Amino acid sequence: MGIGNELICLSYYPLPLFPFAPFGLRRWKLVSRSSRLRRMTEPQPKLSPPLGDMSKEDFRRFGHELIDWVADYLENVEDLPVLAQIEPGDLKALLPSSPPAKGEPMAEIIKDVDRLIVPALTHWSHPSFFAYFATSTSAPGIFGELLSAAFDNKAMLWRTSPASTELEEVTLDWLRQMMGLDAGYTGIIYDTASVSSMHAIAAAREGVELRIREEGMSGRSDLPLLRVYISEQAHSSIEKGVITLGLGQRGLRKIPTDSEFRMDVRALEAAIEEDKANGIVPFCIVATVGTTSTSSIDPVAEMIPIGEKHAMWLHVDAAYAGSAAVVPELRQVLKGCERADSVAVNPHKWLFTPFDLSVLYCRHMDLLRRAFSLVPEYLRTPEQEKVRSGSDYGVQLGRRFRALKLWMVIRYFGHDGLAARIREHCRLAKLFASWVEADPNWELLAPVPLGLVCFRACPPGDDGVPDEVRNARLDVLNEAVMHGVNATGKALLSHTKLNDKLTLRLSIGNIRTTEKHVRQVWELLNEQLKLLTSPKSGSDRTG
Ligand code: PLP
């Protein structure tokens, strides 16, 4: 790498990447642990052979070193700042703008991972990553990815990867059983929930029998407006899916939620009736089990009869909370799904499976197939009528061997082990929520059904101030508290808006998170609050 060599000599992590001195020591701890790698890799710079792949000796050597590197990384990730401490463009400025004409020694490439890439990472594997939906990989999942990269199967047809095709069927059936979903569901793996849900809506649209596959939607005067219904709290991916499928944003209606952020079923029914009276064709309802802002759970069981009455497809976006159903006492999160048409769940969110792996469970695989199957001559096989081929059920032709990592995760931890970890995350979330509730400086802003806590700082002292003014002040204060905590590098939180109030979100879902980390973030929050509300603070809540 052109720029690399001089900089390596100057500084392991170039200064511009790390403007905050306090992290220096922590960084060096990780660096010194990985110095074994440097020692091993430095003496013999070897270039790639003129033809063919890396020599088997080098593959073994670097392979072993990299596994050690990963082990050190996971052991010490806690000592790194959770949020990447770089400014936009910093990494790009350190990378050559053109590719190397000649191959470079693997040792140099690995050094640059340490030197350039690691400092530019936000560490999702850090046990104090509490932002968005905190999710994490796990050792068996990492091994699954490694093997999958080695096999490099493109599982488009059964014969291009019988192992991937059949292992996917079996593993998804195990997961279905673990979640307590009934046997009427067949699973298929996609990359993300955004894509799983889009495929579900495409299958629902195929079921409307308007020859959309054959004739499309544009330029057709015979086509009514087709509509999908979601709650105001549904994930933006559903809207994107609707846009992608050519249904247009007009083809989506957002239904208000109740005081606990669940879809208002009466409002749903009224909206459908009103649309029908206006000649619109309601064809799909998307319920969310575990909304992104608060993890609220739409009342699927009450939505089912509405869907059935109007012959609509009911899709459940359980990307986050579906995994909780593997815990026997939490199985009720999927209540009602026994009569839904499809359910999306993301093992890459809360089942310790490395990104990416999303599952769509569907009762009408025939419709999904009708929407997407297209088999040109060069993909025809003698066994095609007897087997399942993944490419028949989606946009993609080639498909990664994702089932392998999920199979390894489920086998290694077992149903009980996975349930125990999710149960513990829920316990930690409830514990944190109990501290919030007990402290007059803080308040909960949503129920805590699973591993997510929505809260804000609300120190007393604004008596008599109108609500809007108070809320505006608290928004400023809470944003400052969040940025203050995040800037320490010791924890990462994210936010949302609930009832127009800036709300802090603490999501617990990382396999390495323990009570110690939750206590630590609570202390950090209180330190920041004290700092910002002390009389000397220039940025107190008067904003
Ligand atoms: N649905 C819900 C409820 C989510 O919370 C998210 C992401 O957080 C998604 C869908 C999108 O997930 P993905 O990144 O797998 O597309």
Side-chain angles (χ1 to χ4, degrees), residues 190-239:
Y190 298 107
D191 52 1
T192 57
S194 307
V195 170
S196 293
S197 290
M198 188 202 76
H199 281 82
I201 299 168
R205 188 181 63 177
E206 191 61 24
V208 175
E209 308 292 354
L210 285 170
R211 293 186 54 78
I212 289 171
R213 176 187 162 120
E214 295 79 9
E215 295 178 33
M217 299 183 75
S218 66
R220 283 182 66 180
S221 54
D222 64 320
L223 211 58
L225 183 69
L226 299 173
R227 206 160 244 181
V228 178
Y229 300 77
I230 58 174
S231 93
E232 285 170 352
Q233 293 288 323
H235 192 263
S236 55
S237 57
I238 307 299
E239 186 162 348

Side-chain angles (χ1 to χ4, degrees), residues 140-156 158 160-171 189-191 353-357 396-408:
I142 294 170
F143 291 148
E145 280 286 14
L146 180 67
L147 289 175
S148 167
F151 300 146
D152 193 30
N153 271 212
K154 286 85 184 175
M156 54 223 202
W158 176 85
T160 61
S161 188
S164 174
T165 308
E166 296 192 10
L167 191 69
E168 178 167 331
E169 287 181 47
V170 171
T171 306
I189 295 179
Y190 298 107
D191 52 1
T353 304
F355 191 78
D356 48 14
L357 198 161
Q396 277 186 270
L397 176 66
R399 305 170 73 245
R400 299 181 59 221
F401 190 175
R402 293 192 182 89
L404 188 60
K405 57 187 172 183
L406 181 59
W407 179 67
M408 291 176 80

